[in-house]
Amino acid sequence: MKAARFYGKEDLRIEEAPEPGPGPGRVKLRNAFAGVCGSDLHFFFCPESLPFDLDQPHPLTGATLPQILGHEFSGTVVEVGEGVTDVKVGDLGAVYPLAVSCGECAACRKGLPFSCPLMGSLGSNVAGGGLAEFTTCDASKLHVLPDGVDLRLGALVEPMAVGWHAVSRGGVEPGGTALIAGAGPIGIGAWFAFKARGVEQVLVSEPSADRRAIMAGLGAQVVDPVNEDLAAAIASLTDGAGVDVAVDAAGAGAAISSALAALAPGGRLVVAALHEHAMEFQPTGLMMSEKEIVGAVGYRPEEFDAVIAAMADGVYDTTGWVRELPLEGVVDALRSLRDGVGGKILLRVG
């Protein structure tokens, strides 16, 4: 089969790879679409920054280079392994890529497998991935898509679930107010998640004109935090009270500082972005206003299902922010992502 296999820094090859077959309890998919995201960017441009050693077999999965990338993907079931009864040939599904965690560490004991230091994911450190014509996964990891949710939308379930989980961590109620810092795919996902939860008063802060235009096209209220008055925009949105929740989807210290300032007393900031650099932080304001800062990584299986249900209800509109490239365009997609091009790129793999 044709696959995009990662061999090392800036060495990603489209080549023939062995076609897998499903073992007991597993299903084989003909992949349809796969997205690229920030972790793929780290793989390609800066693998030394990853929290695991690619040159050594993964302790739980044995996976090593070359690795098929792609953890945001959808496909059609073409074969089922022994003992599979809940999934059938012909089903369309979105893959929940988290495959393994150790089950013993403090994170696993608290039900936080994405925080496990031995976490293994398809398209990362588990054999197989979405950037190939076929892959296999445990049948329990395939979330079957209902009528009205096609394979293109299915490939967006994973990144949209990241935004959904961030909004869940925020704890905002319907009718509340929110700020999203950063209008990349996770910021877009957070915006749709707020909308699905009845939070309509949402301001999106984004310095990129291209990304602001994408959000405005979706109907979002946007502000340029560099050349406009973010504080005034927050005051206008909330009658001077501040927002109930803010989501950092930018990964920049300035986004954290401005989001904390935008919160109402008792508000909550959710950090859902990777930060490459440290920042100065004065915690007295946090103490005096009883604001909170929480992290958000990954998603829960039920949040995958919640996103799919919202897609079936027509909440997610892909107009103007999702574009497609053939599998051979994966390196171009990664370079576009590095250069800050707005929207989401899906690779057609099937």
Side-chain angles (χ1 to χ4, degrees):
M1 66 176 181
K2 186 166 59 175
R5 297 209 291 181
F6 179 76
Y7 281 81
K9 188 169 186 174
E10 298 191 47
D11 185 1
L12 183 62
R13 309 175 196 176
I14 308 298
E15 60 185 14
E16 292 296 313
E19 186 174 319
R26 297 177 68 79
V27 298
K28 177 180 177 179
L29 301 175
R30 179 184 294 277
N31 296 333
F33 295 95
V36 293
C37 82
S39 59
D40 299 312
L41 198 68
H42 286 291
F43 258 90
F44 186 69
F45 289 108
C46 194
E48 62 272 16
S49 70
L50 296 170
F52 47 85
D53 185 355
L54 291 171
D55 294 321
Q56 300 296 324
H58 186 274
L60 299 181
T61 71
T64 188
L65 298 181
Q67 168 72 43
I68 296 173
L69 296 187
H71 63 276
E72 308 175 352
F73 65 104
S74 63
T76 303
V77 178
V78 294
E79 190 177 347
V80 299
E82 181 184 353
V84 174
T85 59
D86 294 336
V87 179
K88 64 183 184 300
V89 171
D91 280 345
L92 310 183
V95 176
Y96 189 93
L98 178 68
V100 295
S101 59
C102 76
E104 299 175 353
C105 69
C108 287
R109 292 198 305 272
K110 290 189 175 183
L112 301 172
F114 276 94
S115 299
C116 173
L118 296 181
M119 180 268 284
S121 170
L122 280 163
S124 175
N125 48 15
V126 173
L131 289 175
E133 291 182 286
F134 297 94
T135 196
T136 64
C137 69
D138 192 281
S140 66
K141 302 294 184 178
L142 186 74
H143 290 241
V144 176
L145 302 176
D147 291 342
V149 181
D150 61 18
L151 288 167
R152 189 170 182 264
L153 272 174
L156 295 171
V157 173
E158 197 276 351
M160 295 301 97
V162 175
W164 190 282
H165 179 61
V167 170
S168 297
R169 293 283 285 151
V172 67
E173 299 291 336
T177 56
L179 169 69
I180 300 170
I186 304 309
I188 292 173
W191 185 79
F192 279 118
F194 279 124
K195 183 178 178 182
R197 290 161 180 259
V199 180
E200 299 290 344
Q201 295 294 96
V202 182
L203 182 66
V204 180
S205 172
E206 171 57 59
S208 163
D210 178 42
R211 291 184 172 187
R212 286 198 309 275
I214 288 171
M215 293 304 306
L218 290 171
Q221 183 176 341
V222 298
V223 62
D224 177 355
V226 176
N227 298 304
E228 298 180 80
D229 190 336
L230 175 59
I234 292 292
S236 176
L237 180 77
T238 65
D239 293 327
V243 294
D244 299 311
V245 64
V247 174
D248 162 39
I256 294 287
S257 299
S258 60
L260 283 171
L263 287 175
R268 179 177 291 180
L269 167 63
V270 181
V271 179
L274 288 167
H275 285 248
E276 293 184 354
H277 305 289
M279 60 172 288
E280 288 190 4
F281 173 60
Q282 168 52 269
T284 299
L286 199 69
M287 179 270 291
M288 291 298 296
S289 57
E290 294 202 352
K291 298 174 182 178
E292 302 177 13
I293 302 175
V294 300
V297 60
Y299 31 73
R300 309 284 186 262
E302 60 269 22
E303 290 169 332
F304 240 61
D305 290 331
V307 169
I308 292 170
M311 287 177 170
D313 289 340
V315 171
Y316 289 84
D317 179 3
T318 61
T319 304
W321 65 278
V322 178
R323 59 191 178 101
E324 299 174 19
L325 292 174
L327 178 60
E328 290 77 7
V330 61
V331 173
D332 289 337
L334 288 165
R335 296 191 189 282
S336 294
L337 183 63
R338 178 195 60 183
D339 295 340
V341 174
K344 185 71 178 177
I345 298 175
L346 296 180
L347 284 304
R348 298 188 297 271
V349 294

